[in-house]
Each structure stands twice: as structure tokens, then as C-alpha cells.
Amino acid sequence: MKTNAVRSRATGRITLSDVAHAAGVSPITVSRALRGERAVDPELVARVQAAVAKLGYMPNPAARALASGVGSHVAVLIPMLSNALFVDLLEAAQRTLRQGGYQTLIGVTHYDPAEEETLLREQLLHRPAGLLVTGLERNDATRNLIAQSGVPCVHVMEAAGAAGVYCVGFSQADAGEELTRHLLGRGHKRIAFAAAQLDPRTLQRLEGWRRALQAAGLYDTTLEWLNPAPSSISLGARMFEQIMGQQPAVDAIFFCNDDLGQGALLAALRLGIAVPQRVAIAGFNDLTGSDQMLPPLTTVRTPRAQIGNAAATMLLALMRGEAVASPCIDLGYELLVRGST
């Protein structure tokens, strides 16, 4: 204790031992309390927090990582920061992880498997305590990196109970199928599927659309409109014009994301095409503004914030060596029927 006190006076830095002395506990108790371990008595946690506040103690993440071999941060890999879908998820996950004593180190993959692999290699050099990654599909090299790192990992936005995989999300295919069944139930028979980006989750929605139409005996490959460009309102408008110009018999369009659907509604308004009387339009994800369109956009509400919170909570348990009730949490989705269908 004396040596640490001298060091702190010499450097001007308050040490963990100083906090332990002020709180009347051991340094290991301070460390465990600051990591949010549930085994620490709440009264001791309160004393540690009071000492931290009084002394102005700032933990040294680098020293902690060096001593333990594990950092105080979680590496998070998401496809895009410009997509509100992932912003909602990230904000919820970060809030939960911060409450558990962890910071986030964010990597943006741009839906590129090679970029995801490079980012993961770089982030593992920083010894993260845990990993949050988007989806279940990735290249073999990245999958092996995760498995061999020994770092707890939770996958988000998909729910598939593969052995040894922790995930939080919902069935994209089931959601796509239910939305298509809704359109069929409204009497539509020529239902197009319009998609951009073409990431794995979009293709799972496509599979759900196919299943519903095949079951109804109405599947037609010419009704698939797949564009690898980034999803946007302007692209949705262009795709709507193309579909209506080249496939005039189409009476409903399932857009894989709400921004595409919003663009289609704006194009329909501009072209004088009645929605849903002439053609029904549906989207996916219930993004901001969809309920304010004319007419309001039918869509699937996806629980992004809940997924972020639940995934972070699961990861905290794994990082603490605690058992989780279920390795795969399916939070479901909600079909929102509005005026566009």
C-alpha cells in the first residue's frame, strides 16, 4: 500500500490502491466492483463508487489489459453507420455495455467480408473483452478468427440456433414471408420483390417472399428486382418507375427496406399512380418517416434497440463467465399494416 501511495503522489495519478484504502476494501474488490461483477456486495460497490467520485479516480485500460490479457472494451462490427437500423442497435448496446463498465470500439464493414476480416484482425490486437458482430454469415477466415480468439462473441440481427453460437435477433425469412402473405391476403397476385444492397439479411427476406408465393402457386422469377447499390429513397423511386414501366401487371411491390418504399411512394405521387388502388407498396424495418408518408407505409417493425440491449446483456454475462438462459434469443417482429396496402 505504501509503495502505491508513493507512486501516486510522484505521478499525480490516483491508483486503484488509493481507492481501496479510501473505501476500506481490498484492491481486488475495487477491481471487481468497477467491472460490475454481481458477486460484489451492493454496499461495497456503493463505497467503492463513493471513493472513486471523491478521489477522481480514472481507471487505466491499458494497464488493465496488460495485466489481465483482456481489455476493458468490446469490439463491435456493423455494416453501416449511415443506416438508422444499426444506429438504433448500436446506441442501445453501447448504453448497456457502459453500465457494465465497458467501452465500445466500433468497426464499419461496409457489407464487405474481406473488410470485416481485416477489421476483426485489427481489433483482436487490442485484446477486446468481447465481440458483437452483425449477422451469422461471414467468410471462413473471419469465422475461424472468432472461434480461435477465445473472446466471447454475440451475433445480432439474426436468430438461428446453431451449436456454440450466441445470437439475438429475429427470423428475417419469416418476417418476409408474413408480409408477403399479407399482400396475398389483400388479393394481390403479381407481387414484386425489390431489393438493394443484397446483404445476407435482405436475401433472407427474399427467401421468405419466395416461400409465400411458391405456396400460393404464384412465384415468378421475373418479379425479382435485385440491385446491389446502397439502399436509398432515390433508388426506391427509380426502381418503382422501372417496375411499373416494364411490368405493368404488377399489383404490389415488397421493398426490402423502408427508404426504398418511401421513394416508391413519392414516385407514385409524382406519376399520379394510385396507392394502394393501382399498386400496393410495402417496406421493411419501420424507419423514421414511414408513418408520415402519403399514404403511410405498411412495413415490418424490427426491434433494433431491444436487440442491442439484449445482445449486450448476454455478452456481459459471457464476459463475466456467467451462464446464459438461452444462447439464441428471438425477439420477433411486428407487421404494421398502414394505408399503402
Side-chain angles (χ1 to χ4, degrees), residues 16-339:
L16 187 139
S17 293
D18 295 329
V19 175
H21 179 75
V25 298
S26 68
I28 190 62
T29 297
V30 173
S31 180
R32 289 172 175 168
L34 294 179
R35 287 200 300 268
E37 294 187 10
R38 296 180 183 178
V40 182
D41 185 276
E43 189 270 333
L44 296 182
V45 172
R47 282 161 54 184
V48 169
Q49 292 174 339
V52 166
K54 179 180 178 180
L55 298 175
Y57 172 67
M58 295 291 291
N60 186 333
R64 174 178 165 183
L66 185 63
S68 65
V70 178
S72 60
H73 72 277
V74 168
V76 182
L77 298 181
I78 59 173
M80 295 289 284
L81 274 175
S82 59
N83 190 331
L85 171 73
F86 297 108
V87 172
D88 294 343
L89 186 154
L90 180 60
E91 287 185 347
Q94 181 169 274
R95 183 165 51 249
T96 301
L97 289 168
R98 282 179 60 85
Q99 292 171 352
Y102 291 89
Q103 302 296 318
T104 53
L105 181 61
I106 302 166
V108 180
T109 68
H110 301 104
Y111 293 98
D112 184 339
E115 189 167 354
E116 180 183 48
E117 179 188 342
T118 298
L119 283 169
L120 181 60
R121 289 184 185 278
E122 293 172 351
Q123 294 199 1
L124 287 175
L125 292 175
H126 295 280
R127 301 177 179 177
L131 297 170
L132 281 179
V133 298
T134 304
L136 295 165
E137 292 189 29
R138 46 194 33 90
N139 64 33
D140 290 340
T142 302
R143 191 177 295 108
N144 289 335
L145 279 172
I146 293 173
Q148 294 171 7
S149 71
V151 177
C153 179
V154 176
H155 303 70
V156 297
M157 292 307 294
E158 296 181 41
V165 173
Y166 295 91
C167 58
V168 179
F170 62 98
S171 173
Q172 304 272 348
D174 287 354
E177 183 174 5
E178 182 170 339
L179 179 53
T180 308
R181 287 203 306 267
H182 160 70
L183 295 171
L184 289 167
R186 291 293 172 96
H188 302 292
K189 297 183 181 301
R190 296 287 292 173
I191 304 171
F193 183 86
Q197 200 69 65
L198 309 186
D199 61 90
R201 285 157 299 286
T202 292
L203 297 180
Q204 289 164 26
R205 294 167 209 159
L206 169 62
E207 181 56 33
W209 169 85
R210 286 173 176 162
R211 287 192 326 221
L213 291 185
Q214 287 168 348
L218 296 172
Y219 175 64
D220 181 349
T221 57
T222 67
L223 297 177
E224 296 183 8
W225 291 75
L226 309 180
N227 191 323
S231 184
S232 69
I233 290 176
S234 61
L235 178 59
R238 292 197 301 274
M239 294 183 79
F240 177 78
E241 293 176 7
Q242 292 168 356
I243 293 171
M244 298 308 296
Q246 299 177 35
Q247 291 269 24
V250 163
D251 56 11
I253 307 173
F254 172 2
F255 286 93
C256 77
N257 200 42
D258 271 15
D259 55 357
L260 296 175
Q262 291 172 3
L265 285 173
L266 293 172
L269 188 62
R270 184 176 66 253
L271 296 171
I273 297 176
V275 177
Q277 293 83 359
R278 168 61 184 85
V279 59
I281 295 175
F284 201 95
N285 280 321
D286 191 29
L287 300 182
T288 300
S290 289
D291 60 343
Q292 300 301 309
M293 301 300 294
L294 293 174
L297 182 65
T298 290
T299 187
V300 171
R301 176 178 291 161
T302 54
R304 286 99 64 181
Q306 295 92 325
I307 289 172
N309 174 64
T313 300
M314 179 186 287
L315 185 58
L316 285 171
L318 293 173
M319 292 187 297
R320 294 166 180 162
E322 300 169 357
V324 297
S326 171
C328 182
I329 300 176
D330 188 338
L331 292 178
Y333 54 86
E334 180 183 2
L335 175 63
L336 299 178
V337 179
R338 297 181 178 135

